[in-house]
Amino acid sequence: MRTSTALIAGLAIFLVILGAIIGGVGGAIIMAAIFAFFTGLYTFVTSRPSWARLNGRRTGAITAGASIVALLIGGAIAPADDSVPTAVAEQTQEAAPEATSTADAPTASATPSPSPSPTRTPSPTPKASDVAPLDSDAVADVTGTPRAPSDQPAANTTALALLETLPIKGRAPKTGYDRDLFGQAWADVDRNGCDTRNDMLNRDLTDIVYTNSVPCKVQSGVLNDPYTASTIAFLRGQATSTAVQIDHVVALSDAWQKGAQQLTPDQRVAFANDPLNLQSTDGPTNQQKSDGDAATWLPPNTSYRCEYVARQVSVKATYVLWVTQAEHDAIARILSDCNGILAPTNQVAPSVTPPPAPVETEAPVVVPVAPPVVPEPVAPPVVVPEPVAPAPVAPAPVAPAPAPAPYYANCDAVRAAGAAPIYAGTPGFQPKFDRDNDGIGCDS
């Protein structure tokens, strides 16, 4: 036996043994078939004898063909590789909820297969307790008083200026994180009888149909998704509710690693249910985001990125969280091209009391004061002087009435006057201008 033949034969045996270790019998067959295919191909192309003493092109073609069949057989019997983790959403992922004892409670059992983000390492599938439930019939009440640790930023604060007030620190360990530390998912924090998920569906969807006469549980609707710039039809059901999921703009896990460990339980419940930190979006896109911050994930719709990172800055300022250096730089880079976008304050956090509606008062009526009466001078008994005319007394100045508030018939009139967008409480604002009830009228 030639030395070259012995070396090639030894390599073939090594590959077969390696395939058996990795994939059992199927793996061994696959490795042997691959080696035989190239051996037969060599004989077929060159018509020269191979190391295995194959002669002639016909023999080489038969060997290559047989090796392909063997490759298919090995692939069929090889064990499936189920060890590769799948990228999933953080606590906001809308996967199948835990089974309940109530037979008529709708639960989601089908979860769309997520696509791993190109900038993130896939995360292991979370436990059932880490996954937010979908469309439960039961509305969970909360105990205590969920409140944010700070007010939302002052009006007219730019997001870029607010970003510079956030501390820059390293990411803390995720040790001890659990979804339950932020309270029961989608609790009725505002105590309006409707859970937070349905509150957000009511805010973000159009063409809404309810499950009953109570305007709370959404049966169907249409979402104009800001993350993907696509239109998504929502239908409540086990296999369909996952199409629209509620994303935490600042993910719970990300918040835990950047200051939320120091928040009280009530503050964490407020954070998880704060409308400013919640956005209805496409299910697979929400799963792709996982617990990424602005340095690792941004919405595919580039036109929404300015508002997205501005909301993150406002949320982190409200809940006294920090950012990493990479996150700070990514947000600053985006906001530098956003024409001074303001940090959003139009949605009321659980800790902020809505400002009272302005009370219109009538302008005071100023009555002019009549000039005092001056008596005619009395002439002396002997000398009669020429009568002296009384000096004119200037009337008191009348305070001008304040200018009436401007009136706009519609949003076109508001824009023509240069007053768009118009905010609730400002002169000329009418509720009909604010169709999405976010406190800002004529904003689109």
Side-chain angles (χ1 to χ4, degrees), residues 203-289:
R203 184 194 68 180
D204 297 337
L205 270 59
T206 58
D207 300 330
I208 294 175
V209 176
Y210 297 103
T211 59
N212 51 43
S213 60
V214 180
C216 172
K217 296 176 183 176
V218 178
Q219 177 64 31
S220 63
V222 177
L223 171 67
N224 293 318
D225 181 24
Y227 285 10
T228 62
S230 61
T231 301
I232 303 171
F234 170 76
L235 178 63
R236 180 186 176 98
Q238 289 184 337
T240 56
S241 287
T242 54
V244 174
Q245 301 177 12
I246 309 299
D247 174 49
H248 284 97
V249 178
V250 176
L252 303 190
S253 174
D254 179 66
W256 178 260
Q257 299 171 77
K258 297 173 183 176
Q261 297 184 36
Q262 283 74 50
L263 298 180
T264 67
D266 280 350
Q267 290 170 345
R268 287 196 290 266
V269 170
F271 176 86
N273 293 274
D274 192 334
L276 183 62
N277 193 33
L278 297 174
Q279 177 61 52
S280 304
T281 187
D282 169 60
T285 301
N286 181 45
Q287 293 175 345
Q288 185 188 64
K289 173 184 174 179

